[in-house]
């Protein structure tokens, strides 16, 4: 422990030094040789410094340290050597024991200090100071309680700091996931449109020009979405994601079947299903070689079920590897979004060929912990 640290911990204990009135008054008023007075004064100063160092460890890990042994030796020597007026030093020994010693040693040490204090008073006929031994016990009770409160407060502070660090890390993961989902879809569309435009550049310049216009629009939209994400205001709705999916898949020559109606959904469920549509669409464009994609959306007032099915021929292993990335993107990222609402996400190949992604999310907060719809 550095010097500034233990002084900061010990400064609150300075007012308790008022019990040193008795030994100081004894040094001034009792007729003793000058050498004895110097020994008493220097011993009292050394005892006080070491005591403040020990009491400064209040609330910290407990252990029997050399400074406690030095302080106790000085207190016993001064009390025995100078008499009843110095017996009050054992109060500080009790306080230091309650502050620094391991719990199993605290009360044996406190009782021993009180007995030494009582013995000195009896031996030196200090009848007027018999209130000091009980104070040894009461001081230990008070210091033990204070130490417990300091320890609990420090643990709460450490827990709060840990929660703050976890919140920052979680927000970083969320932002990385959102950015991946936003750019993954938009850049896949831009790459696809650019490839189509390159192939049509000589055969059909008008169509190629239209494709490049779509590329420009997709790039502008991606830029706007990234800006929104950075600002923390990005919220992908299911209806918007379905419209984007229609444009992207149709442009790739894939037949799309979408729901006739998009029901009004709560904000969290709407956003989560929007991300499912976007990621599933990106997966189809990148890996499926599908000819038809069907999106079904149903809700019964309690939960909503979104299913995206394609007839692609890409292997299940390839799909799962991409969607199930351990970095938190793809299927893992979608599952986090859906399960955070109390829902369920399933993805896998179909027996007759093709691939299906299915998300079930509750619409009512009370239903969040309830059972989930299975595939």
């Amino acid at each position: 422990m550095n010097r500034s640290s233990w002084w900061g911990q010990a400064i609150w204990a300075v007012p308790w030094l008022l019990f040193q009135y008795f030994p100081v008054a004894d040094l001034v008023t009792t007729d003793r040789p000058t050498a004895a007075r110097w020994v008493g004064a220097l011993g009292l100063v050394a005892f006080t410094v070491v005591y403040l160092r020990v009491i400064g460890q209040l609330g910290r890990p407990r252990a029997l340290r050399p400074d406690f042994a030095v302080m106790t030796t000085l207190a016993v020597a001064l009390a025995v050597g100078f008499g009843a007026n110095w017996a009050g030093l054992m109060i500080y020994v009790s306080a230091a024991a309650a502050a620094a010693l391991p719990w199993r040693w605290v009360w044996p040490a406190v009782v021993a200090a009180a007995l030494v204090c009582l013995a000195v008073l009896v031996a030196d006929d200090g009848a007027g100071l018999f209130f000091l031994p009980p104070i040894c016990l009461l001081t230990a009770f008070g210091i033990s309680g204070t130490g417990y409160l300091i320890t609990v407060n420090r643990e709460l502070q450490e827990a709060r700091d840990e929660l703050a660090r976890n919140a920052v890390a979680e927000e970083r993961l969320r932002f990385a996931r959102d950015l991946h989902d936003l750019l993954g879809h938009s850049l896949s569309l831009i790459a696809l449109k650019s490839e189509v435009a390159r192939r049509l550049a000589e055969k059909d310049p008008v169509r190629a020009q239209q494709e490049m216009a779509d590329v420009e629009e997709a790039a502008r939209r991606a830029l706007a979405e990234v800006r929104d994400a950075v600002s923390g205001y990005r919220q992908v709705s299911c209806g918007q994601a379905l419209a984007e999916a229609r444009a992207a898949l149709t442009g790739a020559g894939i037949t799309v079947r979408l729901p006739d109606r998009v029901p009004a959904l709560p904000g969290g469920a709407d956003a989560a299903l929007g991300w499912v549509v976007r990621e599933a669409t990106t997966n189809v464009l990148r890996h499926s070689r599908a000819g038809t994609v069907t999106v079904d959306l149903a809700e019964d007032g309690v939960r909503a079920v979104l299913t995206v099915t394609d007839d692609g021929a890409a292997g299940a292993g390839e799909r799962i590897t991409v969607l199930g990335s351990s970095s938190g993107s793809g299927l893992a990222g979608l599952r986090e979004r859906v399960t955070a609402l109390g829902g369920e996400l399933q993805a896998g190949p179909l027996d007759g060929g093709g691939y299906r992604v299915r998300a079930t999310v509750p619409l009512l907060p009370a239903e969040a912990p309830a059972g989930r719809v299975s595939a």
Side-chain angles (χ1 to χ4, degrees):
M1 186 188 308
N2 59 50
R3 181 171 300 178
S4 60
S5 177
W6 71 262
W7 269 113
Q9 280 286 105
I11 194 66
W12 65 272
V14 170
W16 290 92
L17 297 180
L18 62 89
F19 285 104
Q20 292 194 6
Y21 165 79
F22 297 105
V24 170
D26 181 71
L27 279 176
V28 174
T29 60
T30 302
D31 186 19
R32 287 192 179 92
T34 302
R37 292 189 178 188
W38 274 107
V39 169
L42 294 176
L44 185 62
V45 171
F47 168 83
T48 302
V49 172
V50 180
Y51 162 74
L52 291 176
R53 182 176 182 84
V54 174
I55 203 70
Q57 297 164 12
L58 181 63
R60 300 181 182 275
R62 294 173 170 269
L64 176 59
R65 299 180 176 87
D67 48 8
F68 176 81
V70 170
M71 185 202 74
T72 302
T73 301
L74 285 172
V76 173
L78 291 171
V80 172
F82 287 87
N85 286 319
W86 294 70
L89 296 182
M90 303 312 298
I91 296 175
Y92 300 105
V93 174
S94 297
L101 291 184
W103 286 114
R104 66 181 181 277
W105 295 345
V106 169
W107 291 108
V110 170
V111 171
L115 292 177
V116 170
C117 180
L118 179 62
V120 171
L121 293 175
V122 171
D124 199 37
D125 192 21
L129 298 175
F130 277 115
F131 63 90
L132 293 179
I135 291 180
C136 290
L137 302 176
L138 294 176
T139 299
F141 274 111
I143 294 296
S144 296
T146 302
Y148 175 76
L149 291 177
I150 291 176
T151 301
V152 171
N153 184 67
R154 179 176 290 110
E155 291 175 350
L156 289 174
Q157 181 64 42
E158 292 173 353
R160 185 172 64 179
D161 293 342
E162 182 65 22
L163 288 174
R165 288 191 294 270
N166 290 340
V168 171
E170 183 65 25
E171 181 62 18
R172 288 174 177 171
L173 289 175
R174 183 200 66 80
F175 181 76
R177 181 187 63 198
D178 288 355
L179 202 59
H180 168 273
D181 292 345
L182 285 169
L183 292 181
H185 175 82
S186 299
L187 294 179
S188 295
L189 178 59
I190 289 172
L192 177 66
K193 291 284 187 179
S194 299
E195 182 180 359
V196 172
R198 179 177 57 81
R199 293 177 179 177
L200 296 175
E202 296 181 359
K203 297 178 182 179
D204 190 348
V206 176
R207 174 72 186 280
Q209 185 177 12
Q210 179 60 44
E211 294 294 336
M212 289 307 299
D214 292 344
V215 169
E216 180 182 0
E217 176 61 26
R220 292 182 184 277
R221 185 170 61 248
L223 179 60
E225 289 172 347
V226 169
R227 286 173 176 170
D228 287 343
V230 171
S231 300
Y233 298 115
R234 178 61 180 165
Q235 189 79 317
V236 178
S237 69
C238 187
Q240 178 186 354
L242 288 172
E244 294 175 353
R246 180 192 297 276
L249 295 172
T250 301
I254 300 173
T255 302
V256 184
R257 299 190 181 99
L258 300 179
D260 296 331
R261 181 184 67 89
V262 178
L265 301 173
D270 192 35
L273 294 182
W275 285 115
V276 172
V277 172
R278 291 197 112 189
E279 188 64 33
T281 301
T282 301
N283 182 52
V284 170
L285 291 172
R286 286 180 176 177
H287 310 289
S288 73
R289 301 189 294 276
T292 302
V293 174
T294 302
V295 181
D296 295 314
L297 177 60
E299 58 90 15
D300 58 6
V302 177
R303 57 179 61 84
V305 180
L306 173 75
T307 306
V308 181
T309 308
D310 67 71
D311 59 358
E318 180 183 359
R319 301 278 192 105
I320 294 174
T321 299
V322 174
L323 284 177
S325 165
S326 61
S327 65
S329 60
L331 182 61
L334 293 182
R335 183 167 285 115
E336 289 179 8
R337 296 177 188 275
V338 173
T339 55
L341 299 175
E344 182 180 42
L345 181 73
Q346 298 173 337
L350 300 174
D351 293 338
Y355 198 84
R356 180 175 66 184
V357 177
R358 180 176 182 177
T360 304
V361 295
L363 302 180
L364 301 176
E367 291 295 321
R372 298 169 181 172
V373 177
S374 59

